[in-house]
Amino acid sequence: MAKTLLEMKNITKLFPGVKALDNVNLQVEEGEIHALCGENGAGKSTLMNVLSGIYPYGSYSGEIIYDGNICKFQKIRDSEEKGIVIIHQELALVPLLSIGENMFLGNERGSKAKINWAETYTKADALLNMVGLKESSKTLIKDIGVGKQQLVEIAKALGKNVRLLILDEPTASLNDTESRHLLDLLLEFKKKGMTSIIISHKLNELSYVADKITVIRDGSVITTLDKKKDSFTEDTIISAMVGRSITDRFPKRESHVGEICFEVKDWCVDHPVFDGIKVCDNINFNLRKGEVLGISGLMGAGRTELSMSIFGHSYGANIQGKLFLNGKEVSFPNVKSAIKNKIAYVTEDRKGNGLILSESISKNTTAAKIDKVSKNFIIDFDKERADSQAMAKDMHTKCYSVDEDVGNLSGGNMQKVLLGKWLYAEPDILILDEPTRGIDVGAKYEIYCIINKMVAEGKSVIMISSEMPELLGMCDRIYVMNEGRMIAEMDGKEATQEKIMTCIINSSK
């Protein structure tokens, strides 16, 4: 019989006005991969923050029993000393430091007076080799992609003699190949006796890698499924997550696509730092009224760079080309001009660029269109609050008050605030960059419904997504990008994953 490595008993955690965890019990056996899933705000990350000491003993009720001993962690270092290491969805790496420096930051090799750099980089290279990352440990973090950064975080955990590895949405920013490599790595670690807890909304990945799946809803454990005994189908998991079955992942919509409302011609953008590198190379595309237009491509294809450069030159250097809005040539030299012309951009980086985490839901909601709640530079705070409450209600945002700081919300509810912020600006064209990354199936469906409502009103949406089923399920038309170029255009009804990937493979330089 397998040994129980971790037992969390009757964990209850309160925030102002919210019971985030309600008498939660969780058992994890040694050497297993245990998945946690549930809707955004269900309490998954909160539970892991309790376990890792981010929420210290005394701030919650209940017991943590690890390796047979009752633990009362006061900080992260306490849990790490026991071999419990957590890797958050937003990676905690310093871009301008090397891989090796990041891996031993706070855990330096050498004496208190002097760091042993030779030992640092030698050990770092050995750990990188263990996770299959063929990069020099002297490479700067800013010079490697998100997928490699995720592997650096895992290598960093291995350097702390990890026994229980907790991963919060580890594949949210990865493409399919990178995701599979990471999951296979967890399976390899499992063979060596490591225990893992993985939080994810990608149900197909959980079915592939997990031995058990615990579903949490509204702060309570609903069920724990065992691969040896129970069905691991997506329908079974979704039904437990949302309390009902979802027969159709994508809401039905009658398509009424009109005339061309926006056109991009001969668009070229250079990398802002590295001379001679084109991130957008002579791109042409158009958007029609009432249309959901998808842009597909692998990570690094230039989709985000394209959208940001269009939206007020937010990214890039030496930007050239022409933009046409309702048949007239226009220019958006800054973000203010883009907003004035009713263009909105929902960034993929909601925490870094999309929201002010230390400010309230109310202030974030009105930030892009402050003139709707102000006159003569004086803000009407009652109107701001009322409008924000109405938007939060429309978006089904889970919060105790619009005065709550956005940083306290779950990822899915942050995404709703971000989307609400731009809908409040009343755009005619909404650019959505990875709009459902890291959020659950219920919240995804709500966002899809909002998109359908927008286009039904004659507005237009550009959707950038790495999830091909999402593009195929939502879009009237799909463009395919690769290596900074627009390489294909296809009708949404005729597009398939195979066709899109074939275009990408055949166009690679």
Side-chain angles (χ1 to χ4, degrees), residues 417-439:
V417 174
L418 177 59
L419 187 54
K421 162 187 166 181
W422 287 110
L423 292 180
Y424 187 73
E426 301 177 317
D428 288 333
I429 296 170
L430 182 64
I431 305 171
L432 299 171
D433 196 348
E434 303 288 0
T436 64
R437 172 176 288 168
I439 66 176

PDB file of all heavy atoms in Angstrom, residues 417-439:
ATOM      1  N   VAL A 417     -12.387  41.261 -15.252  1.00  0.00           N
ATOM      2  CA  VAL A 417     -12.216  42.696 -14.991  1.00  0.00           C
ATOM      3  C   VAL A 417     -11.505  43.358 -16.165  1.00  0.00           C
ATOM      4  O   VAL A 417     -11.880  44.460 -16.600  1.00  0.00           O
ATOM      5  CB  VAL A 417     -11.430  42.933 -13.679  1.00  0.00           C
ATOM      6  CG1 VAL A 417     -11.127  44.422 -13.493  1.00  0.00           C
ATOM      7  CG2 VAL A 417     -12.211  42.404 -12.488  1.00  0.00           C
ATOM      8  N   LEU A 418     -10.472  42.684 -16.689  1.00  0.00           N
ATOM      9  CA  LEU A 418      -9.725  43.230 -17.826  1.00  0.00           C
ATOM     10  C   LEU A 418     -10.623  43.380 -19.055  1.00  0.00           C
ATOM     11  O   LEU A 418     -10.604  44.421 -19.726  1.00  0.00           O
ATOM     12  CB  LEU A 418      -8.537  42.322 -18.150  1.00  0.00           C
ATOM     13  CG  LEU A 418      -7.685  42.711 -19.358  1.00  0.00           C
ATOM     14  CD1 LEU A 418      -7.101  44.111 -19.180  1.00  0.00           C
ATOM     15  CD2 LEU A 418      -6.561  41.701 -19.578  1.00  0.00           C
ATOM     16  N   LEU A 419     -11.412  42.371 -19.331  1.00  0.00           N
ATOM     17  CA  LEU A 419     -12.325  42.439 -20.471  1.00  0.00           C
ATOM     18  C   LEU A 419     -13.386  43.518 -20.241  1.00  0.00           C
ATOM     19  O   LEU A 419     -13.722  44.289 -21.143  1.00  0.00           O
ATOM     20  CB  LEU A 419     -12.976  41.071 -20.691  1.00  0.00           C
ATOM     21  CG  LEU A 419     -13.831  40.882 -21.941  1.00  0.00           C
ATOM     22  CD1 LEU A 419     -13.070  41.263 -23.202  1.00  0.00           C
ATOM     23  CD2 LEU A 419     -14.319  39.442 -22.040  1.00  0.00           C
ATOM     24  N   GLY A 420     -13.883  43.590 -18.993  1.00  0.00           N
ATOM     25  CA  GLY A 420     -14.864  44.613 -18.658  1.00  0.00           C
ATOM     26  C   GLY A 420     -14.319  46.018 -18.807  1.00  0.00           C
ATOM     27  O   GLY A 420     -15.026  46.945 -19.223  1.00  0.00           O
ATOM     28  N   LYS A 421     -13.039  46.193 -18.490  1.00  0.00           N
ATOM     29  CA  LYS A 421     -12.379  47.502 -18.634  1.00  0.00           C
ATOM     30  C   LYS A 421     -12.470  47.996 -20.070  1.00  0.00           C
ATOM     31  O   LYS A 421     -12.786  49.169 -20.329  1.00  0.00           O
ATOM     32  CB  LYS A 421     -10.916  47.363 -18.198  1.00  0.00           C
ATOM     33  CG  LYS A 421      -9.984  48.468 -18.655  1.00  0.00           C
ATOM     34  CD  LYS A 421      -8.539  48.125 -18.299  1.00  0.00           C
ATOM     35  CE  LYS A 421      -7.554  49.009 -19.019  1.00  0.00           C
ATOM     36  NZ  LYS A 421      -6.150  48.658 -18.676  1.00  0.00           N
ATOM     37  N   TRP A 422     -12.227  47.076 -21.013  1.00  0.00           N
ATOM     38  CA  TRP A 422     -12.221  47.502 -22.414  1.00  0.00           C
ATOM     39  C   TRP A 422     -13.630  47.564 -23.006  1.00  0.00           C
ATOM     40  O   TRP A 422     -13.906  48.385 -23.873  1.00  0.00           O
ATOM     41  CB  TRP A 422     -11.309  46.597 -23.238  1.00  0.00           C
ATOM     42  CG  TRP A 422      -9.871  46.877 -22.933  1.00  0.00           C
ATOM     43  CD1 TRP A 422      -8.991  46.083 -22.272  1.00  0.00           C
ATOM     44  CD2 TRP A 422      -9.158  48.079 -23.244  1.00  0.00           C
ATOM     45  NE1 TRP A 422      -7.778  46.704 -22.148  1.00  0.00           N
ATOM     46  CE2 TRP A 422      -7.843  47.927 -22.742  1.00  0.00           C
ATOM     47  CE3 TRP A 422      -9.504  49.267 -23.893  1.00  0.00           C
ATOM     48  CZ2 TRP A 422      -6.890  48.928 -22.870  1.00  0.00           C
ATOM     49  CZ3 TRP A 422      -8.548  50.262 -24.024  1.00  0.00           C
ATOM     50  CH2 TRP A 422      -7.252  50.085 -23.510  1.00  0.00           C
ATOM     51  N   LEU A 423     -14.540  46.733 -22.515  1.00  0.00           N
ATOM     52  CA  LEU A 423     -15.929  46.846 -22.963  1.00  0.00           C
ATOM     53  C   LEU A 423     -16.533  48.167 -22.482  1.00  0.00           C
ATOM     54  O   LEU A 423     -17.378  48.760 -23.166  1.00  0.00           O
ATOM     55  CB  LEU A 423     -16.753  45.666 -22.442  1.00  0.00           C
ATOM     56  CG  LEU A 423     -16.416  44.293 -23.033  1.00  0.00           C
ATOM     57  CD1 LEU A 423     -17.306  43.220 -22.424  1.00  0.00           C
ATOM     58  CD2 LEU A 423     -16.570  44.300 -24.552  1.00  0.00           C
ATOM     59  N   TYR A 424     -16.091  48.634 -21.316  1.00  0.00           N
ATOM     60  CA  TYR A 424     -16.562  49.913 -20.785  1.00  0.00           C
ATOM     61  C   TYR A 424     -16.155  51.073 -21.702  1.00  0.00           C
ATOM     62  O   TYR A 424     -16.829  52.095 -21.759  1.00  0.00           O
ATOM     63  CB  TYR A 424     -16.007  50.120 -19.380  1.00  0.00           C
ATOM     64  CG  TYR A 424     -16.564  51.331 -18.670  1.00  0.00           C
ATOM     65  CD1 TYR A 424     -17.874  51.332 -18.193  1.00  0.00           C
ATOM     66  CD2 TYR A 424     -15.785  52.468 -18.470  1.00  0.00           C
ATOM     67  CE1 TYR A 424     -18.393  52.440 -17.532  1.00  0.00           C
ATOM     68  CE2 TYR A 424     -16.291  53.577 -17.822  1.00  0.00           C
ATOM     69  CZ  TYR A 424     -17.600  53.569 -17.356  1.00  0.00           C
ATOM     70  OH  TYR A 424     -18.112  54.668 -16.716  1.00  0.00           O
ATOM     71  N   ALA A 425     -15.056  50.890 -22.433  1.00  0.00           N
ATOM     72  CA  ALA A 425     -14.593  51.919 -23.371  1.00  0.00           C
ATOM     73  C   ALA A 425     -15.408  51.937 -24.656  1.00  0.00           C
ATOM     74  O   ALA A 425     -15.194  52.782 -25.528  1.00  0.00           O
ATOM     75  CB  ALA A 425     -13.111  51.708 -23.691  1.00  0.00           C
ATOM     76  N   GLU A 426     -16.373  51.009 -24.795  1.00  0.00           N
ATOM     77  CA  GLU A 426     -17.291  50.922 -25.931  1.00  0.00           C
ATOM     78  C   GLU A 426     -16.571  50.863 -27.274  1.00  0.00           C
ATOM     79  O   GLU A 426     -16.787  51.694 -28.149  1.00  0.00           O
ATOM     80  CB  GLU A 426     -18.273  52.103 -25.902  1.00  0.00           C
ATOM     81  CG  GLU A 426     -19.112  52.161 -24.633  1.00  0.00           C
ATOM     82  CD  GLU A 426     -20.027  53.376 -24.579  1.00  0.00           C
ATOM     83  OE1 GLU A 426     -19.547  54.480 -24.930  1.00  0.00           O
ATOM     84  OE2 GLU A 426     -21.190  53.209 -24.210  1.00  0.00           O
ATOM     85  N   PRO A 427     -15.718  49.857 -27.477  1.00  0.00           N
ATOM     86  CA  PRO A 427     -14.981  49.760 -28.745  1.00  0.00           C
ATOM     87  C   PRO A 427     -15.855  49.217 -29.872  1.00  0.00           C
ATOM     88  O   PRO A 427     -16.828  48.495 -29.637  1.00  0.00           O
ATOM     89  CB  PRO A 427     -13.872  48.771 -28.404  1.00  0.00           C
ATOM     90  CG  PRO A 427     -14.497  47.870 -27.385  1.00  0.00           C
ATOM     91  CD  PRO A 427     -15.399  48.751 -26.570  1.00  0.00           C
ATOM     92  N   ASP A 428     -15.491  49.573 -31.087  1.00  0.00           N
ATOM     93  CA  ASP A 428     -16.097  48.951 -32.269  1.00  0.00           C
ATOM     94  C   ASP A 428     -15.276  47.736 -32.704  1.00  0.00           C
ATOM     95  O   ASP A 428     -15.813  46.803 -33.305  1.00  0.00           O
ATOM     96  CB  ASP A 428     -16.172  49.955 -33.431  1.00  0.00           C
ATOM     97  CG  ASP A 428     -17.220  51.028 -33.188  1.00  0.00           C
ATOM     98  OD1 ASP A 428     -18.191  50.741 -32.444  1.00  0.00           O
ATOM     99  OD2 ASP A 428     -17.058  52.143 -33.705  1.00  0.00           O
ATOM    100  N   ILE A 429     -13.975  47.781 -32.404  1.00  0.00           N
ATOM    101  CA  ILE A 429     -13.077  46.671 -32.732  1.00  0.00           C
ATOM    102  C   ILE A 429     -12.332  46.270 -31.467  1.00  0.00           C
ATOM    103  O   ILE A 429     -11.678  47.104 -30.832  1.00  0.00           O
ATOM    104  CB  ILE A 429     -12.074  47.069 -33.836  1.00  0.00           C
ATOM    105  CG1 ILE A 429     -12.810  47.380 -35.140  1.00  0.00           C
ATOM    106  CG2 ILE A 429     -11.040  45.969 -34.058  1.00  0.00           C
ATOM    107  CD1 ILE A 429     -11.937  47.998 -36.215  1.00  0.00           C
ATOM    108  N   LEU A 430     -12.467  45.000 -31.103  1.00  0.00           N
ATOM    109  CA  LEU A 430     -11.826  44.499 -29.891  1.00  0.00           C
ATOM    110  C   LEU A 430     -10.809  43.430 -30.270  1.00  0.00           C
ATOM    111  O   LEU A 430     -11.151  42.412 -30.867  1.00  0.00           O
ATOM    112  CB  LEU A 430     -12.884  43.904 -28.959  1.00  0.00           C
ATOM    113  CG  LEU A 430     -12.404  43.365 -27.607  1.00  0.00           C
ATOM    114  CD1 LEU A 430     -11.825  44.480 -26.749  1.00  0.00           C
ATOM    115  CD2 LEU A 430     -13.555  42.680 -26.872  1.00  0.00           C
ATOM    116  N   ILE A 431      -9.550  43.687 -29.926  1.00  0.00           N
ATOM    117  CA  ILE A 431      -8.479  42.719 -30.171  1.00  0.00           C
ATOM    118  C   ILE A 431      -8.262  41.931 -28.888  1.00  0.00           C
ATOM    119  O   ILE A 431      -7.924  42.502 -27.846  1.00  0.00           O
ATOM    120  CB  ILE A 431      -7.171  43.411 -30.596  1.00  0.00           C
ATOM    121  CG1 ILE A 431      -7.402  44.320 -31.808  1.00  0.00           C
ATOM    122  CG2 ILE A 431      -6.089  42.377 -30.905  1.00  0.00           C
ATOM    123  CD1 ILE A 431      -6.211  45.203 -32.156  1.00  0.00           C
ATOM    124  N   LEU A 432      -8.473  40.622 -28.948  1.00  0.00           N
ATOM    125  CA  LEU A 432      -8.340  39.754 -27.776  1.00  0.00           C
ATOM    126  C   LEU A 432      -7.108  38.876 -27.936  1.00  0.00           C
ATOM    127  O   LEU A 432      -7.050  38.037 -28.836  1.00  0.00           O
ATOM    128  CB  LEU A 432      -9.583  38.866 -27.635  1.00  0.00           C
ATOM    129  CG  LEU A 432     -10.919  39.587 -27.436  1.00  0.00           C
ATOM    130  CD1 LEU A 432     -12.066  38.596 -27.526  1.00  0.00           C
ATOM    131  CD2 LEU A 432     -10.938  40.298 -26.094  1.00  0.00           C
ATOM    132  N   ASP A 433      -6.125  39.057 -27.081  1.00  0.00           N
ATOM    133  CA  ASP A 433      -4.884  38.290 -27.143  1.00  0.00           C
ATOM    134  C   ASP A 433      -4.921  37.222 -26.055  1.00  0.00           C
ATOM    135  O   ASP A 433      -4.825  37.528 -24.870  1.00  0.00           O
ATOM    136  CB  ASP A 433      -3.687  39.225 -26.937  1.00  0.00           C
ATOM    137  CG  ASP A 433      -2.368  38.599 -27.357  1.00  0.00           C
ATOM    138  OD1 ASP A 433      -2.338  37.373 -27.597  1.00  0.00           O
ATOM    139  OD2 ASP A 433      -1.368  39.331 -27.436  1.00  0.00           O
ATOM    140  N   GLU A 434      -5.089  35.975 -26.449  1.00  0.00           N
ATOM    141  CA  GLU A 434      -5.207  34.831 -25.521  1.00  0.00           C
ATOM    142  C   GLU A 434      -6.256  35.134 -24.437  1.00  0.00           C
ATOM    143  O   GLU A 434      -5.957  35.141 -23.237  1.00  0.00           O
ATOM    144  CB  GLU A 434      -3.854  34.509 -24.868  1.00  0.00           C
ATOM    145  CG  GLU A 434      -2.729  34.209 -25.846  1.00  0.00           C
ATOM    146  CD  GLU A 434      -2.887  32.850 -26.534  1.00  0.00           C
ATOM    147  OE1 GLU A 434      -3.860  32.135 -26.258  1.00  0.00           O
ATOM    148  OE2 GLU A 434      -2.021  32.515 -27.359  1.00  0.00           O
ATOM    149  N   PRO A 435      -7.509  35.381 -24.835  1.00  0.00           N
ATOM    150  CA  PRO A 435      -8.514  35.862 -23.879  1.00  0.00           C
ATOM    151  C   PRO A 435      -8.918  34.852 -22.814  1.00  0.00           C
ATOM    152  O   PRO A 435      -9.463  35.237 -21.778  1.00  0.00           O
ATOM    153  CB  PRO A 435      -9.716  36.193 -24.770  1.00  0.00           C
ATOM    154  CG  PRO A 435      -9.548  35.322 -25.974  1.00  0.00           C
ATOM    155  CD  PRO A 435      -8.068  35.238 -26.186  1.00  0.00           C
ATOM    156  N   THR A 436      -8.677  33.557 -23.047  1.00  0.00           N
ATOM    157  CA  THR A 436      -9.113  32.556 -22.061  1.00  0.00           C
ATOM    158  C   THR A 436      -7.947  31.774 -21.471  1.00  0.00           C
ATOM    159  O   THR A 436      -8.141  30.693 -20.922  1.00  0.00           O
ATOM    160  CB  THR A 436     -10.116  31.573 -22.702  1.00  0.00           C
ATOM    161  OG1 THR A 436      -9.466  30.834 -23.743  1.00  0.00           O
ATOM    162  CG2 THR A 436     -11.310  32.295 -23.281  1.00  0.00           C
ATOM    163  N   ARG A 437      -6.743  32.315 -21.576  1.00  0.00           N
ATOM    164  CA  ARG A 437      -5.576  31.612 -21.028  1.00  0.00           C
ATOM    165  C   ARG A 437      -5.690  31.478 -19.508  1.00  0.00           C
ATOM    166  O   ARG A 437      -5.927  32.441 -18.791  1.00  0.00           O
ATOM    167  CB  ARG A 437      -4.289  32.367 -21.375  1.00  0.00           C
ATOM    168  CG  ARG A 437      -3.041  31.802 -20.681  1.00  0.00           C
ATOM    169  CD  ARG A 437      -1.787  32.506 -21.135  1.00  0.00           C
ATOM    170  NE  ARG A 437      -1.449  32.119 -22.492  1.00  0.00           N
ATOM    171  CZ  ARG A 437      -0.530  32.744 -23.233  1.00  0.00           C
ATOM    172  NH1 ARG A 437       0.108  33.791 -22.749  1.00  0.00           N
ATOM    173  NH2 ARG A 437      -0.258  32.329 -24.456  1.00  0.00           N
ATOM    174  N   GLY A 438      -5.551  30.246 -19.029  1.00  0.00           N
ATOM    175  CA  GLY A 438      -5.513  30.004 -17.595  1.00  0.00           C
ATOM    176  C   GLY A 438      -6.836  30.164 -16.884  1.00  0.00           C
ATOM    177  O   GLY A 438      -6.862  30.382 -15.675  1.00  0.00           O
ATOM    178  N   ILE A 439      -7.965  30.054 -17.610  1.00  0.00           N
ATOM    179  CA  ILE A 439      -9.254  30.150 -16.936  1.00  0.00           C
ATOM    180  C   ILE A 439     -10.075  28.901 -17.236  1.00  0.00           C
ATOM    181  O   ILE A 439      -9.836  28.184 -18.200  1.00  0.00           O
ATOM    182  CB  ILE A 439     -10.027  31.427 -17.310  1.00  0.00           C
ATOM    183  CG1 ILE A 439     -10.433  31.435 -18.786  1.00  0.00           C
ATOM    184  CG2 ILE A 439      -9.208  32.655 -16.991  1.00  0.00           C
ATOM    185  CD1 ILE A 439     -11.280  32.623 -19.153  1.00  0.00           C
TER     186      ILE A 439
END
